[in-house]
Amino acid sequence: MDLFRQLRLVRRNWWIVLVTLMVALGVTALITVRAQPRYLATVTFFVTTPAQGVTDAYQGGLFLQQRVKSYEQLLTSDRLAQSVVANNQFGLTAEQLRNKISTSTETGTVLLRASVIDTDQTRALRVTEAVTASFVELVKNVETRPDGSAGQIKIEVIGGPRVTPSPISPQPVRNFLIGTLVGLLAGVGLAVLRGMVDIRLRDATALRRLTGSPLLGEIPLDPAARTAPLIVGAAATSSRAEAIRKLRTNLRFVDADEPARVIAVTSALQGEGKTTLSCNLAITLAEAGWRVLLVDADLRRSKVGEYLGIDDAVGLTDVLVGDVNVGDVVQRWGDKSLLVLPSGSLPPNPSELLGSKAMADLLLALRESADIVIIDTAPLLAVTDGVVVAVQADGALLISQQGRTARTQVAAAARALNAVSVRLLGCVLNMARLPKAEVYQYEAYRLASTEPSVPADRVWSGRHAERAGADDTVEPVEELTRLSR
């Protein structure tokens, strides 16, 4: 994994870094507050030998350095601890006393330092004084010769005993610096790990890579869409509506030489917003002056009628079985040139019905009666209905919801379309969490603008531009009725 991808994962999962940092600082604060203050008492010894004991200075230095190493062990021995405990009342056992004593030496010197750490400042100093006296006496006894004469080694105290005036621990500044560093490292690690194991679709780059098709739009997440899914009224000036208009414009430039007039809108899974997008895309196309026909071909879970507020009891199913003519069930929606063919009754064999010759003939008729035909289809991975319809269309538009669909599911949906040579016009990332700067930029521009918006793209192709201008006087419903006979 390259560095830039790791940085993207950290940026995407910034909240994990923040939470981990807060937890680390909280634990650090708790430990710091509950920790008992500890004081350090020290004493420094100088190990020497009389001149007559060793005549050669170099050999004498080596001898003393070896002795210092031995005395370091002696300072933490049971014999010294038992001697200190026996002669003093510190309320400590010999084992507890040994655990409080630590030693250190300086390489190449004959200096020996002893340290005592205790939660009681006074006791730390008293223990150090007792250890000093007992150690000097112990060395004297150990070095005494069998004949009772003094040994060659002499221990002198050259520093201390002294105790620190303030506790050596806890150190709040150091603790919080360490806690911050640990929290940041742990947070970054968790953020990267979560990104690596997260199989859901998270960004437009991944969507383009998985589908192998251009990204035609990113529809921002709009909480108001739950109660007002259509971009009409107040929602017509929202950032979501503007994103769908951009999608309308991008669709126009997918292939200028061979524009798609019959477009199947589908998704990998149910609930990714394909029906809402189909309705809104049809509305924006109609607002631009196109004669648009929206067909509800999701015969298992139709929602177009519910969203648009039209009766869907009779519709596509009834046309395909020959019970009614298409012109009799097509309904005009709103005051724009938008016609809707609802799903109709629920058939027992949706896939066979959608793949029938009657469906192919119907699409040929619809192609000649409208500038753009938008077909809302079933999800690709749930049933085969979506693929069956997409094969008969000029191209398909794949909708994926950010943070919901797995990357493997998106790839599988694209493969299902490619397997039957469906022309994948592009993909759309729905309910995308766009940077706030982009949303604010649009809102600022919208509020500052006082000019009414004018549709800028009326032309889908040169031939249909002429037709749109010449046939404006022909009612689309009447044309559909004529073609259905």
Side-chain angles (χ1 to χ4, degrees):
M1 181 184 293
D2 59 89
L3 178 60
F4 290 105
R5 186 181 175 190
Q6 292 179 358
L7 292 176
R8 286 196 299 269
L9 292 177
V10 172
R11 180 181 178 183
R12 181 186 306 155
N13 299 307
W14 61 269
W15 60 272
I16 295 181
V17 180
L18 180 61
V19 170
T20 306
L21 178 60
M22 292 298 101
V23 170
L25 291 178
V27 172
T28 301
L30 182 63
I31 293 176
T32 302
V33 170
R34 299 191 63 178
Q36 287 185 317
R38 297 192 303 169
Y39 296 86
L40 174 66
T42 58
V43 61
T44 303
F45 302 99
F46 180 75
V47 182
T48 186
T49 180
Q52 65 273 16
V54 179
T55 57
D56 183 50
Y58 177 74
Q59 292 181 351
L62 294 178
F63 173 76
L64 291 178
Q65 290 178 19
Q66 293 296 326
R67 270 292 194 265
V68 168
K69 294 180 180 179
S70 300
Y71 294 160
E72 188 176 6
Q73 299 296 324
L74 189 62
L75 268 170
T76 56
S77 64
D78 290 333
R79 181 175 176 180
L80 179 64
Q82 291 170 359
S83 174
V84 173
V85 170
N87 297 327
N88 300 273
Q89 298 297 324
F90 295 129
L92 299 172
T93 63
E95 182 66 22
Q96 290 173 335
L97 182 64
R98 286 182 61 247
N99 292 334
K100 291 179 179 293
I101 300 175
S102 60
T103 61
S104 63
T105 60
E106 295 184 15
T107 305
T109 70
V110 291
L111 296 178
L112 175 62
R113 182 177 291 105
S115 303
V116 174
I117 298 177
D118 200 294
T119 55
D120 187 323
Q121 184 181 29
T122 302
R123 187 170 63 180
L125 181 59
R126 290 177 56 205
V127 168
T128 304
E129 292 172 344
V131 168
T132 300
S134 298
F135 177 65
V136 172
E137 185 66 24
L138 180 59
V139 171
K140 181 179 180 181
N141 294 336
V142 169
E143 296 292 344
T144 300
R145 295 175 178 176
D147 59 1
S149 61
Q152 299 178 354
I153 304 300
K154 181 180 180 182
I155 299 291
E156 294 183 4
V157 178
I158 62 172
R162 65 172 62 89
V163 66
T164 55
S166 58
I168 60 170
S169 69
Q171 298 181 14
V173 175
R174 184 196 63 180
N175 291 352
F176 277 101
L177 287 176
I178 294 176
T180 300
L181 180 61
V182 172
L184 287 175
L185 292 177
V188 170
L190 289 175
V192 173
L193 180 62
R194 183 180 187 273
M196 294 176 62
V197 302
D198 188 5
I199 62 172
R200 291 176 292 178
L201 182 67
R202 289 295 183 181
D203 52 47
T205 303
L207 181 57
R208 284 196 301 266
R209 184 178 67 253
L210 293 169
T211 61
S213 64
L215 178 73
L216 298 182
E218 289 185 81
I219 313 302
L221 177 64
D222 186 359
R226 292 182 178 273
T227 55
L230 302 182
I231 53 172
V232 294
T237 58
S238 64
S239 57
R240 178 167 61 102
E242 184 62 24
I244 296 176
R245 295 188 188 101
K246 289 181 181 179
L247 170 61
R248 175 189 67 190
T249 303
N250 291 339
L251 268 175
R252 196 183 141 215
F253 294 103
V254 169
D255 192 342
D257 296 330
E258 189 180 352
R261 296 180 52 206
V262 180
I263 302 173
V265 180
T266 187
S267 61
L269 304 175
Q270 176 190 342
E272 296 192 70
K274 64 172 181 59
T275 301
T276 305
L277 187 62
S278 298
C279 295
N280 286 326
L281 180 58
I283 290 173
T284 57
L285 287 168
E287 287 177 347
W290 304 101
R291 290 192 299 179
V292 184
L293 178 60
L294 174 62
V295 180
D296 187 358
D298 189 351
L299 302 184
R300 300 175 191 266
R301 299 178 63 91
S302 59
K303 291 290 184 180
V304 171
E306 178 183 339
Y307 287 162
L308 298 179
I310 62 176
D311 183 12
D312 60 355
V314 181
L316 177 61
T317 303
D318 306 278
V319 173
L320 295 179
V321 298
D323 290 345
V324 296
N325 294 326
V326 62
D328 298 331
V329 293
V330 168
Q331 303 178 42
R332 181 184 294 275
W333 187 87
D335 58 352
K336 305 296 182 182
S337 54
L338 173 58
L339 301 178
V340 182
L341 177 57
S343 61
S345 55
L346 178 64
N349 55 343
S351 296
E352 290 77 6
L353 202 58
L354 292 172
S356 64
K357 184 177 182 300
M359 181 66 176
D361 293 340
L362 175 61
L363 289 180
L364 287 176
L366 298 180
R367 179 191 300 273
E368 297 303 322
S369 62
D371 296 328
I372 304 295
V373 179
I374 302 295
I375 308 176
D376 180 41
T377 68
L380 296 172
L381 302 186
V383 290
T384 61
D385 302 11
V387 174
V388 170
V389 174
V391 169
Q392 305 176 70
D394 294 340
L397 196 61
L398 183 61
I399 313 302
S400 299
Q401 179 179 337
Q402 182 181 14
R404 181 180 185 273
T405 316
R407 293 193 293 267
T408 54
Q409 293 170 331
V410 175
R415 286 196 302 269
L417 295 175
N418 293 329
V420 292
S421 301
V422 172
R423 178 187 174 194
L424 185 54
L425 301 174
C427 54
V428 177
L429 186 63
N430 199 23
M431 302 184 193
R433 291 170 174 80
L434 300 180
K436 291 184 177 180
E438 294 186 17
V439 179
Y440 290 156
Q441 183 178 11
Y442 168 74
E443 291 296 329
Y445 179 79
R446 180 180 65 84
L447 293 175
S449 176
T450 58
E451 295 292 333
S453 60
V454 178
D457 50 343
R458 175 73 187 267
V459 179
W460 199 263
S461 69
R463 181 171 64 86
H464 293 99
E466 297 174 0
R467 181 176 176 279
D471 295 346
D472 280 347
T473 58
V474 179
E475 287 293 334
V477 175
E478 295 177 2
E479 188 173 355
L480 287 173
T481 304
R482 176 178 59 81
L483 290 172
S484 64
R485 290 195 180 101

